[in-house]
Amino acid sequence: MAQISQKKRVWGWMAFDWASQPFHTLMLTFIFGPYFAEIVGLKLLSGGMDPEGAKAQAQAYWGYGLTVTGLLIAFSAPVLGAFADSSGNRMLWIKIFSAFYIFGAAALWTAHPTDFNIFWVLVLFGIGFIGVEFTTIFVNSILPSLAPKEDIGRISGSGFALGYWGGVLSLFIMLLLFAENATGKTLIGIEPLFGLDPTQREGTRFVGPFTAIWFIVAMIPFFLWVREKPSDTASGGSAKDALAELWSTIKSLPHRSSLFAFLSSSLFYRDALNGLYGFGAIYAKGVLDWSLIQIGVFGIVGAITAAVFSYVGGLVDARKGPKPVIKFSIFCLITVCIIVVGMSRDNIFGVPFPAGSSVPDIIFFICGGIIGAAGGALQASSRTMMVRHADAERPTEAFGLYALSGKATAFMAPGLIAIFSDLSGNQRIGITPLIALFTIGLVLLIWVKPQGDQTT
């Protein structure tokens, strides 16, 4: 430990954000998720299902897979976190779940378009998703030991910023050099590199091995420079002891008003943020009739602003604390949701646009930039706020509970959007529940202490 500088330890820790972000950017959102929907839709069409039904069913399969995986993560995270704190050696758990990540991502190369087993593809994706989520919990639990409290916000924000830049770069590489479009060419008009066969979608399927390789290489600084301090590891308690400690923590939540309010608040605003991420592209396609290229540019704009403002938010966090950053970010996201609900291709809040105007596109691009900026800062400062509420002796358990609050109701925003869309028959009105979820999260912050459970 003495041979590794504190600066290297911080950079090594932040390397995880750079290493893991491509799973969210490439696998979950922009490359593999759409590929899954496309191939499953074609499979259902060939079985005689009508086009609209096939699209809806493909989306449903993807949603079911994410729901099952999310529930597994949600209810396992606190238990694993408690056991890791009791038994010590979080680095071992990081290595184990890194292996899950690598295997699950790389194995999706087998998602061949002509031999596409929906169940097994979802299982493999779920293994990778479990890997990235659990590894994140254990890596986050090391954050409190990296630096003095006043520097934690800056480090958290810088880590998220570095991760978003990794997501942008990895997306550029995949779109420009590997992922093929309908003509078999990449975005710059070439065939996928390394002789990958576009007719077999090998360029797009390479996203799995690419994400795994990216993670392996990017994690080298983490494993070289990050070490657990003696105080980071516990005394080696049993699983029974760990569960007893966890149950004691859960029972104490109503009496720890600030932590309870923060976990409750984050449950609502993180669910709303995930809903905004998940339905932004659908809104752009359905309401504004955007092409996939426009949606891709929209995603890149959001990722870049997220990278910049995660860092800026971290600086503000270091000066003012995480709570003001969280409040301002939620306010910005509520404003964006109101604009989205009030705007169509023809007008905004009843004020008409000129025929053929590009103003609604410009407004939505600006909204995308704000979503990225506020969302990035919100996630980074939420991680800092969790540090301020974490028991110094049991940080992994705390981040396990944090994961539970972020996953246990992951169905809520999508479900409410679906219900409101059905009842209203209007895609824009379907977004209105997000305003309510963000507002509830903002109100619950009233009971969150700026310093959390820490008094100094």
Side-chain angles (χ1 to χ4, degrees), residues 89-169:
N89 200 358
R90 289 195 291 272
M91 294 299 290
L92 174 61
W93 291 98
I94 291 171
K95 291 175 183 177
I96 290 172
F97 286 110
S98 290
F100 275 53
Y101 179 116
I102 294 164
F103 172 78
L108 288 172
W109 168 258
T110 63
H112 196 284
T114 59
D115 186 24
F116 195 93
N117 187 304
I118 297 172
F119 175 78
W120 284 111
V121 168
L122 287 174
V123 167
L124 292 173
F125 183 87
I127 290 172
F129 198 18
I130 287 170
V132 70
E133 290 290 336
F134 277 129
T135 308
T136 299
I137 291 168
F138 293 112
V139 171
N140 282 348
S141 71
I142 297 174
L143 176 59
S145 69
L146 291 176
K149 183 185 71 174
E150 57 269 20
D151 292 330
I152 293 298
R154 176 181 55 81
I155 293 171
S156 181
S158 297
F160 263 105
L162 188 63
Y164 279 117
W165 285 122
V168 170
L169 178 60

Side-chain angles (χ1 to χ4, degrees), residues 265-275 382 402-403 405-407:
S265 172
S266 72
L267 182 151
F268 286 100
Y269 71 67
R270 288 161 71 199
D271 193 40
L273 180 61
N274 289 333
S382 295
Y402 183 62
S405 76
K407 295 291 183 184

Side-chain angles (χ1 to χ4, degrees), residues 377-438:
L378 179 61
Q379 292 178 88
S381 287
S382 295
R383 183 162 64 181
T384 307
M385 183 59 81
M386 190 64 237
V387 169
R388 296 194 175 196
H389 285 90
D391 185 335
E393 300 299 321
R394 307 189 65 79
T396 322
E397 176 187 270
F399 276 99
L401 289 171
Y402 183 62
L404 173 62
S405 76
K407 295 291 183 184
T409 59
F411 60 87
M412 186 162 56
L416 288 172
I417 290 172
I419 291 170
F420 273 65
S421 299
D422 275 341
L423 292 177
S424 67
N426 185 298
Q427 191 174 355
R428 292 184 293 125
I429 292 176
I431 300 296
T432 54
L434 298 184
I435 300 173
L437 294 177
F438 277 126

Side-chain angles (χ1 to χ4, degrees), residues 229-309:
K229 292 180 179 179
S231 59
D232 288 347
T233 57
S235 58
S238 66
K240 182 179 179 180
D241 293 336
L243 290 174
E245 288 279 356
L246 173 61
W247 180 239
S248 177
T249 301
I250 292 173
K251 287 195 300 182
S252 73
L253 285 178
H255 305 290
R256 298 175 64 183
S257 58
S258 182
L259 173 59
F260 189 59
F262 174 62
L263 290 176
S264 301
S265 172
S266 72
L267 182 151
F268 286 100
Y269 71 67
R270 288 161 71 199
D271 193 40
L273 180 61
N274 289 333
L276 197 54
Y277 285 156
F279 285 86
I282 296 173
Y283 172 93
K285 181 67 175 174
V287 176
L288 300 181
D289 196 29
W290 275 12
S291 68
L292 290 178
I293 291 177
Q294 286 174 301
I295 292 172
V297 173
F298 173 82
I300 290 171
V301 168
I304 291 174
T305 57
V308 172
F309 283 92

Side-chain angles (χ1 to χ4, degrees), residues 176-257:
L176 299 180
L177 304 179
F178 294 105
E180 63 279 295
N181 56 30
T183 66
K185 306 292 185 181
T186 71
L187 192 60
I188 56 174
I190 64 172
E191 291 190 355
L193 294 188
F194 308 140
L196 296 173
D197 186 354
T199 65
Q200 301 301 313
R201 304 302 299 274
E202 289 184 350
T204 298
R205 286 191 289 132
F206 182 64
V207 69
F210 175 79
T211 302
I213 293 168
W214 179 286
F215 184 81
I216 292 169
V217 174
M219 283 294 282
I220 291 174
F222 180 90
F223 288 116
L224 284 179
W225 295 339
V226 177
R227 297 288 185 275
E228 291 184 280
K229 292 180 179 179
S231 59
D232 288 347
T233 57
S235 58
S238 66
K240 182 179 179 180
D241 293 336
L243 290 174
E245 288 279 356
L246 173 61
W247 180 239
S248 177
T249 301
I250 292 173
K251 287 195 300 182
S252 73
L253 285 178
H255 305 290
R256 298 175 64 183
S257 58

Side-chain angles (χ1 to χ4, degrees), residues 269 326-334 378 438 441-442 445:
Y269 71 67
I326 294 172
K327 290 170 63 178
F328 183 72
S329 297
I330 295 175
F331 176 79
C332 290
L333 292 168
I334 291 173
L378 179 61
F438 277 126
L442 186 61
L445 284 174

